[in-house]
């Protein structure tokens, strides 16, 4: 049985990913900051709930201890939790250091907190996999190309946090060759993050997350992928 933890799994892409992986036979731990919402989502899915606030070191450590005691290992970690940030679209000069710190605390530092805490459990797996949910807005190539839709979206804190996430993924992959670390771009998906303005359904957006969560020990590592293949970044 494959044991999987998904952060931010009480709604949106995280919830859909959990649903699909449970269908595929995974034992899924739904990580959520809010206990009531997380327990409700886990009950709907037939999953296990673990309270996990990625911005709180103590919460992350407690979650890792819970999974260790309950399962003894972790086969798949999906770092999905993220925030939209200050939402100062096109107003780069108005973004403050505090705005940046808040966005990075979830989107980058939170990912590192969770990965650091769960590394021993991943190393106990025969074929460990980590999927980090980034965005096409984190691609330097896409956001610099006037022919791409990403070029039109100027968000200093959010975009740069998703770029940093890809580099963090690359560094983990080099440091831990036995673990498959990859970043993914789900595409512009209708979720709470964008006020449900995305052009894709969560079912479509979750496809690449599920695909990369399902790779084996011989799968790629250190890459950035969307539904069509490697992302230029």
């Amino acid at each position: 049985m494959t044991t999987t933890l998904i952060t931010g799994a009480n709604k949106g892409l995280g919830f859909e990913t959990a649903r699909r992986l449970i269908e595929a036979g995974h034992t899924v731990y739904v990580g959520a900051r809010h206990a009531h919402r997380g327990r409700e989502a886990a009950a709907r899915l037939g999953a296990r709930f673990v309270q996990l606030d990625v911005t709180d070191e103590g919460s992350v450590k407690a979650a890792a201890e819970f999974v260790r005691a309950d399962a003894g290992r972790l086969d798949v970690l999906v770092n999905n939790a993220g925030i939209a940030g200050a939402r100062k679209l096109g107003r780069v000069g108005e973004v403050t250091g505090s705005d940046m710190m808040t966005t990075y605390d979830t989107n980058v530092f939170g990912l590192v907190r969770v990965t650091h805490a769960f590394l021993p459990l991943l190393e106990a797996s025969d074929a460990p996999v980590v999927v980090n949910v980034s965005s096409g807005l984190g691609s330097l190539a896409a956001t610099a190309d006037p022919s791409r839709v990403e070029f039109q979206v100027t968000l200093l804190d959010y975009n740069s946090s998703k770029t940093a996430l890809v580099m963090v993924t690359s560094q983990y992959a080099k440091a831990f060759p036995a673990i498959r670390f990859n970043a993914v771009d789900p595409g512009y998906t209708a979720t709470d993050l964008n006020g449900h303005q995305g052009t894709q359904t969560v079912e479509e957006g979750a496809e690449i997350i599920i695909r990369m969560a399902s790779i084996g020990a011989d799968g790629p590592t250190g890459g950035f992928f969307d539904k069509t293949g490697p992302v230029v970044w």
Side-chain angles (χ1 to χ4, degrees):
M1 185 71 75
T2 302
T3 303
T4 299
L5 169 69
I6 305 170
T7 66
N10 61 292
K11 61 181 180 179
L13 285 168
F15 184 91
E16 178 61 17
T17 299
R19 185 185 72 79
R20 294 278 295 281
L21 290 178
I22 289 168
E23 283 185 352
H26 291 223
T27 297
V28 172
Y29 289 84
V30 166
R33 180 175 55 178
H34 298 289
H36 175 72
R37 296 174 192 170
R39 288 194 181 95
E40 187 178 67
R44 288 170 59 197
L45 289 163
R48 304 294 305 277
F49 167 66
V50 56
Q51 190 162 10
L52 199 167
D53 180 350
V54 302
T55 68
D56 184 317
E57 192 80 43
S59 172
V60 173
K61 288 180 178 178
E65 177 56 30
F66 175 80
V67 176
R68 185 202 65 76
D70 201 50
R73 72 178 197 282
L74 186 66
D75 301 305
V76 179
L77 170 61
V78 179
N79 282 308
N80 168 71
I83 61 172
R87 299 177 185 264
K88 295 177 180 177
L89 180 63
R91 295 177 288 155
V92 169
E94 296 180 17
V95 177
T96 67
S98 293
D99 290 333
M100 296 290 286
M101 288 175 65
T102 298
T103 303
Y104 273 62
D105 199 26
T106 296
N107 294 0
V108 183
F109 308 149
L111 180 150
V112 172
R113 288 187 191 99
V114 172
T115 303
H116 178 265
F118 281 89
L119 273 172
L121 295 179
L122 288 162
E123 291 179 311
S125 170
D126 292 332
V129 172
V130 178
V131 181
N132 294 329
V133 180
S134 185
S135 167
L137 294 174
S139 165
L140 297 176
T143 55
D145 182 350
S147 71
R148 297 282 297 257
V149 66
E150 291 90 349
F151 180 83
Q152 308 299 326
V153 183
T154 305
L155 289 165
L156 181 61
D157 54 341
Y158 181 80
N159 293 10
S160 63
S161 75
K162 292 301 185 177
T163 305
L165 185 156
V166 179
M167 180 56 75
V168 165
T169 302
S170 171
Q171 297 304 296
Y172 274 124
K174 289 195 292 184
F176 296 94
I179 304 175
R180 306 291 90 184
F181 279 92
N182 291 289
V184 298
D185 168 23
Y188 191 30
T189 304
T191 66
D192 286 353
L193 197 73
N194 55 47
H196 293 269
Q197 295 178 2
T199 55
Q200 292 187 144
T201 65
V202 289
E203 290 82 4
E204 292 170 319
E207 285 291 342
I208 186 59
I209 306 175
I210 295 156
R211 188 190 313 167
M212 298 311 293
S214 304
I215 62 174
D218 59 347
T221 192
F224 185 16
F225 300 91
D226 65 14
K227 62 185 178 183
T228 66
V231 175
V232 291
W233 71 286

